[in-house]
Amino acid sequence: MKHSLPMEDRPRVRLGLIGCGEHATSVLHNAVGFIDDFHVVGVCDPDAGRAQAAARRFGLSEYHDSHESLLKEARPEAVLLVTYPGLQPKLANTLLQAGVHVYVEKPIVMSEDDAETLRQTVSDHPALIAAVSFNKRFSAHYRRVREITCGEGFGTPNYFHFRFAGGHRAKTWALLAVGAIHGFDMARTMMGEIEEVSAYLVELAEGQADISANVRFRSGAIGQFFLSSMGFWSAKGAEHMEIRSNQNVVTLENHRQLTWQGPPLDKSASDTTQMQKETPSFAQYLEPNYSNISAPEFQSIAQNGYLQPLQAFAEDILSGSRRLPTLEDGIAALNIATAIDQSMRDGGRPLRVATV
């Protein structure tokens, strides 16, 4: 027996999808499919094959090859923007000026000029959301690190380390502004603002570089970034975060393996000049369950933090609340990238990080 679907009796966000490449379709579009608060009204990509595939996926009979066509014909009230990093700031600005909420895959800005232009537009349209996809903030494991370091059993964090390695890039600047930008945002999220950087560079060719940067936080804590475009995305250790306090350390390896080693259970004074005798505490381990993918919370889009901010994007539009990383967060991360770039080009000279 055939049944008709009931008429939708609640508001949903009319969503347009700009960018239908591999990352968009395999990650972000997957997440959109789980969110009932979205009604996808149009897709856009200059590549007809990719646009057609995305249109079929969401039950659409049409697709668009330009954002102008999408805005005019599909009339979205919000857009998920996932294109080339160099195009995203201008497109985001155009969409906001057209009165559309925008969720932008990082980075949202690539230069100071981008930042100032978008700042003015956001100021002119205060009712609109301009969010940047710092998805690691919403990852279950990164959030657990945050819970641990903010808990009374951890103490005051005094050291932060972040390692990121990926493949060759067209420009070394892209390693900082596009790849490592997540690490800069996580440093701010976990430790507060960075005030000063001193960085060194080994560059075999443009886009093939190792970068080591020492940083000092406003809190007085210290830290280090090791950033490489001469590694492998799939290699163990491609991403690593570590936070330390007094005899307390939490690490997160490759976004998946969390280890928390707390203070020793017991310790006694040493009768030598070496370290004290200690009875170590039991370490806590946490790994995601990717074997039971029937539940959304066990799927990689949720474990890696893509699903949750998109759900918040829809809910914030409907409710008028504001919970997502903003343009200012994107600018703050860019300022860290800029200071590291300037310092390493100037032989490691310590530089202050511009404040937002």
Side-chain angles (χ1 to χ4, degrees):
M1 180 182 296
K2 181 172 70 173
H3 296 274
S4 298
L5 289 171
M7 295 294 291
E8 190 68 53
D9 58 355
R10 65 181 181 86
R12 299 171 72 198
V13 175
R14 293 176 57 85
L15 181 69
L17 306 176
I18 296 182
C20 302
E22 180 180 0
H23 178 65
T25 56
S26 64
V27 178
L28 292 158
H29 292 186
N30 275 351
V32 168
F34 281 97
I35 301 172
D36 290 337
D37 288 325
F38 282 138
H39 172 43
V40 177
V41 295
V43 301
C44 172
D45 197 288
D47 184 300
R50 296 192 308 203
Q52 289 173 19
R56 287 193 295 268
R57 180 179 194 172
F58 290 100
L60 303 173
S61 59
E62 299 176 336
Y63 66 92
H64 303 270
D65 60 8
S66 70
H67 67 275
E68 294 92 348
S69 173
L70 176 76
L71 292 174
K72 179 180 178 180
E73 302 297 332
R75 295 177 292 106
E77 58 188 303
V79 163
L80 171 56
L81 179 59
V82 193
T83 62
Y84 296 107
L87 298 176
Q88 288 182 165
K90 182 178 180 180
L91 273 174
N93 192 63
T94 298
L95 294 166
L96 289 165
Q97 289 179 336
V100 175
H101 301 283
V102 182
Y103 183 98
V104 186
E105 177 57 290
K106 57 82 184 169
I108 193 170
V109 289
M110 287 285 283
S111 69
E112 292 182 9
D113 288 344
D114 292 339
E116 289 309 310
T117 299
L118 270 171
R119 264 189 175 138
Q120 184 59 57
T121 300
V122 168
S123 175
D124 292 342
H125 299 82
L128 294 179
I129 296 173
V132 57
S133 182
F134 284 139
N135 57 286
K136 294 186 192 299
R137 291 194 187 191
F138 297 85
S139 156
H141 289 70
Y142 274 100
R143 296 187 86 156
R144 178 60 182 143
V145 170
R146 178 69 171 155
E147 290 172 0
I148 290 170
T149 58
C150 289
E152 62 179 53
F154 191 82
T156 302
N158 53 42
Y159 175 76
F160 175 89
H161 177 81
F162 194 88
R163 180 174 70 239
F164 172 82
H168 292 172
R169 294 176 178 268
K171 299 287 184 180
T172 298
W173 170 242
L175 170 61
L176 294 169
V178 181
I181 202 82
H182 276 303
F184 306 146
D185 182 66
M186 291 316 302
R188 297 182 63 241
T189 301
M190 299 291 180
M191 304 286 290
E193 300 300 333
I194 293 175
E195 285 192 333
E196 186 178 274
V197 305
S198 177
Y200 292 90
L201 167 74
V202 173
E203 190 174 40
L204 302 186
E206 183 66 52
Q208 300 175 31
D210 282 337
I211 299 169
S212 177
N214 290 325
V215 302
R216 180 171 54 81
F217 291 87
R218 185 176 297 168
S219 66
I222 59 175
Q224 184 184 51
F225 292 97
F226 175 71
L227 314 168
S228 176
S229 56
M230 295 194 287
F232 300 95
W233 292 99
S234 60
K236 182 175 177 63
E239 181 176 307
H240 172 89
M241 186 176 73
E242 178 178 315
I243 301 176
R244 291 180 176 270
S245 66
N246 183 18
Q247 292 196 305
N248 219 319
V249 58
V250 59
T251 65
L252 184 58
E253 187 80 15
N254 284 339
H255 209 156
R256 286 167 171 79
Q257 299 167 318
L258 188 152
T259 304
W260 178 19
Q261 178 71 61
L265 299 175
D266 185 42
K267 58 185 178 181
S268 59
S270 173
D271 56 3
T272 71
T273 58
Q274 303 302 312
M275 65 182 181
Q276 292 177 321
K277 297 177 181 179
E278 299 175 345
T279 302
S281 60
F282 293 100
Q284 297 185 26
Y285 297 92
L286 178 65
E287 290 192 49
N289 179 2
Y290 284 118
S291 62
N292 179 13
I293 60 171
S294 59
E297 60 268 23
F298 291 133
Q299 299 199 19
S300 63
I301 53 172
Q303 293 283 352
N304 294 332
Y306 286 101
L307 175 61
Q308 299 90 330
L310 284 169
Q311 179 68 65
F313 183 47
E315 292 172 354
D316 284 358
I317 293 171
L318 294 171
S319 67
S321 55
R322 296 290 186 271
R323 292 173 292 168
L324 295 173
T326 66
L327 169 64
E328 294 304 313
D329 292 311
I331 294 173
L334 178 76
N335 287 344
I336 298 170
T338 300
I340 290 175
D341 184 66
Q342 292 175 348
S343 175
M344 72 189 193
R345 301 295 179 184
D346 198 15
R349 180 169 64 93
L351 287 176
R352 301 281 292 186
V353 177
T355 58
V356 295

